[in-house]
Amino acid sequence: MTVQEIASLIKENTGAQVRLDEPMANHTSFHIGGPADLLVIPGNMEDVRSVLRIAQEYALPLTVLGNGSNVLVRDKGIRGIVLKLGNALKYWKQEGNVFTFGSGISLAQCCRIIGEAGFTGMEFAVGIPGSLGGAVFMNAGAYDGEIKNAVMSVLVLASDGELKTLTKDDLQFSYRHSALQGSDAIVLEVKLQVCAGDKTAIQAKMADFNQRRISKQPLELPSAGSAFKRPEGHFVGAMVEQSGLKGFRIGGAEVSKKHAGFIVNVDRATAADVLQLMAYIQDRIMKDYSVQLVPEVLVLGEE
């Protein structure tokens, strides 16, 4: 079947939004990326299951995206279907100190809901962009906190179309990693277990973290957050700055003048610009510090 026919099939069998040749620059915080053959925005879990079934039946590659805040899509785009969950699965409910969220809810909204209910344990994540599902996928963290500390369990759609519940042990969390990164499972729902706390203190802590982020990070320019994972015993931004690379630019991609741990899109940058800049930084830091920088940004799409 042609991509157009697949699009029609998805429209007939789901309530999802379907777009052909959709520029991924419109769906990533970097504002970079070539077209997806087919972008699908599901309305509910059943839409997700239907899209997975269709992709498998017609042997189409399936790429799952949250809010696109920690990804770089290559300039030729993504073949097959891109399933964007960040605009769907935003429900939530509370049972005591356990909160259940659809994976498409933003991490910031999740933190505010928990904080406003008077529970502590998620303040660290209030300023992290992206969806909750994406945060679990990469074990997002900031200010000495990580999502793994609050995760109780995760409901996923396995590649065989079955719903499965994964425990914290199943997820094998480590620094910026979970077992989800080595699987085809799609995160649908997340249970977080938190502790009762003082609402005023929780709100103050979140306000403090937000202010720190605003003052230190280049939020005024498109980026994908920290470009590299933090090597043990080092800080990426400090090394890059001390190597004289703050403000260094290739094409439209630049090492942020505000925080050298970020690469920002200053002038219609391409994915090739960003990748060349990342490689340059890696080479320089290896020469200056004998430290191998590992990208934190997930690179997707056709080279």
Side-chain angles (χ1 to χ4, degrees):
M1 293 182 78
T2 65
V3 174
Q4 289 82 358
E5 289 170 329
I6 295 292
S8 297
L9 186 63
I10 292 173
K11 287 179 182 178
E12 290 167 9
N13 288 274
T14 74
Q17 298 178 46
V18 182
R19 302 176 192 174
L20 288 161
D21 293 321
E22 177 70 9
M24 291 307 297
N26 297 340
H27 300 276
T28 64
S29 60
F30 238 145
H31 297 178
I32 292 171
D37 289 343
L38 201 58
L39 179 79
V40 179
I41 302 174
N44 52 46
M45 280 193 196
E46 197 49 48
D47 285 352
V48 177
R49 297 182 83 166
S50 296
V51 172
L52 175 63
R53 186 171 60 249
I54 289 168
Q56 291 180 333
E57 184 176 347
Y58 294 97
L60 281 174
L62 180 66
T63 302
V64 180
L65 196 67
N67 275 338
S69 63
N70 194 50
V71 300
L72 174 66
V73 177
R74 290 189 172 99
D75 300 311
K76 289 185 181 179
I78 302 176
R79 306 288 69 81
I81 299 172
V82 174
L83 186 63
K84 185 178 180 182
L85 302 180
N87 286 6
L89 306 183
K90 292 185 175 180
Y91 60 88
W92 69 278
K93 64 181 180 180
Q94 177 188 357
E95 296 174 278
N97 68 332
V98 176
F99 290 75
T100 302
F101 294 95
S103 63
I105 198 167
S106 76
L107 193 54
Q109 185 181 359
C110 163
C111 294
R112 286 194 294 270
I113 288 168
I114 290 173
E116 286 168 6
F119 288 85
T120 183
M122 286 294 292
E123 295 93 328
F124 74 91
V126 69
I128 300 175
S131 67
L132 178 58
V136 173
F137 180 84
M138 68 167 290
N139 187 25
Y143 301 115
D144 296 324
E146 290 179 302
I147 194 75
K148 72 174 185 180
N149 297 327
V151 171
M152 185 177 177
S153 65
V154 173
L155 179 69
V156 301
L157 180 62
S159 57
D160 60 7
E162 294 299 312
L163 294 174
K164 296 181 180 178
T165 298
L166 303 180
T167 66
K168 180 183 289 192
D169 287 344
D170 294 330
L171 291 164
Q172 298 173 23
F173 285 120
S174 60
Y175 177 69
R176 300 299 178 266
H177 177 83
S178 77
L180 294 165
Q181 294 175 22
S183 78
D184 295 322
I186 301 171
V187 179
L188 298 178
E189 188 175 276
V190 180
K191 281 188 187 293
L192 300 177
Q193 188 172 36
V194 286
C195 300
D198 179 76
K199 189 172 178 179
T200 302
I202 292 165
Q203 298 291 346
K205 194 172 185 180
M206 288 197 292
D208 175 48
F209 285 161
N210 257 333
Q211 187 53 47
R212 287 199 231 173
R213 185 169 176 266
I214 290 167
S215 66
K216 294 179 180 179
Q217 297 181 12
L219 306 182
E220 68 282 0
L221 290 168
S223 80
S226 299
F228 300 99
K229 296 179 182 180
R230 182 164 57 106
E232 190 173 348
H234 299 275
F235 291 97
V236 174
M239 288 192 295
V240 174
E241 183 172 354
Q242 289 163 14
S243 290
L245 295 180
K246 206 171 192 180
F248 182 79
R249 183 169 165 176
I250 292 179
E254 180 180 274
V255 176
S256 169
K257 297 184 179 77
K258 192 172 184 180
H259 189 313
F262 287 67
I263 292 174
V264 290
N265 179 359
V266 293
D267 184 19
R268 299 184 299 278
T270 64
D273 293 340
V274 175
L275 291 169
Q276 287 176 42
L277 182 53
M278 290 177 73
Y280 186 90
I281 294 167
Q282 286 173 305
D283 287 346
R284 184 66 173 271
I285 297 305
M286 177 56 73
K287 288 175 184 173
D288 291 354
Y289 294 94
S290 298
V291 171
Q292 178 64 55
L293 292 183
V294 176
E296 186 165 316
V297 178
L298 180 63
V299 181
L300 301 174
E302 188 178 8
E303 292 192 48

